[in-house]
């Protein structure tokens, strides 16, 4: 099992990067005069980060349970997180101050950062493996 400290480090790393990216892109849109896009992007990224933290917090509880309890717990957690993710969508639909498309993009901010980090590590560092290997071969 992954140590809890490692999970917290990943949460901090990806959450901070996702929020920083959202704020940076939002500031660009704000400078261009698109306030609704700015608000929607930050709103979606904020909820995306909280959802990521909630998912990691409940993962250990689900793994430690027996099969029936784990299944019920996992289903309940998924339902709760779907309802939680619906909150910024409802806000963006009801209030014109938030752009719906930007909110949706913001909801995928943590996943985008994780994918970007993975692609960066594999494409820019693919020539060197870990601990003195080159593409899986010993040098």
């Amino acid at each position: 099992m992954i140590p809890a400290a490692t999970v917290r480090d990943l949460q901090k790393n990806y959450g901070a990067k996702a929020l920083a990216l959202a704020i940076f892109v939002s500031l660009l849109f704000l400078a261009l005069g698109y306030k609704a896009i700015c608000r929607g992007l930050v709103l979606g990224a904020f909820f995306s980060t909280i959802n990521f933290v909630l998912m990691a917090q409940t993962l250990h509880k689900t793994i430690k349970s027996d099969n029936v309890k784990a299944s019920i717990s996992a289903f309940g957690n998924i339902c709760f997180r779907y309802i939680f993710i619906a909150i910024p969508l409802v806000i963006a639909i009801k209030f014109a101050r938030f752009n719906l498309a930007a909110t949706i993009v913001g909801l995928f901010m943590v996943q985008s950062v994780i994918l970007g980090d993975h692609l960066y590590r594999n494409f820019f560092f693919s020539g060197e493996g870990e601990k003195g290997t080159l593409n899986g071969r010993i040098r």
Side-chain angles (χ1 to χ4, degrees), residues 11-115:
Q11 286 176 340
K12 289 178 186 176
N13 183 22
Y14 289 136
K17 285 181 181 178
L19 287 175
L21 178 63
I23 290 169
F24 176 74
V25 173
S26 294
L27 288 175
L28 291 175
F29 279 109
L30 185 63
L32 295 172
Y34 298 107
K35 291 181 182 179
I37 292 175
C38 174
R39 290 184 193 113
L41 195 59
V42 171
L43 178 69
F46 178 72
F47 274 84
S48 175
T49 303
I50 293 174
N51 182 46
F52 182 62
V53 171
L54 288 174
M55 182 174 52
Q57 293 297 324
T58 58
L59 178 67
H60 292 293
K61 293 177 186 175
T62 303
I63 291 174
K64 291 180 182 178
S65 303
D66 64 15
N67 286 342
V68 174
K69 286 182 181 178
S71 297
I72 293 169
S73 176
F75 181 74
N77 288 331
I78 289 171
C79 289
F80 173 75
R81 287 187 13 250
Y82 281 165
I83 292 168
F84 183 76
I85 288 298
I87 293 170
L89 295 174
V90 170
I91 291 171
I93 291 169
K94 289 192 76 81
F95 300 104
R97 297 182 61 186
F98 298 95
N99 182 284
L100 179 61
T103 304
I104 293 169
V105 169
L107 286 174
F108 288 98
M109 194 61 69
V110 171
Q111 292 91 331
S112 300
V113 167
I114 292 171
L115 180 63

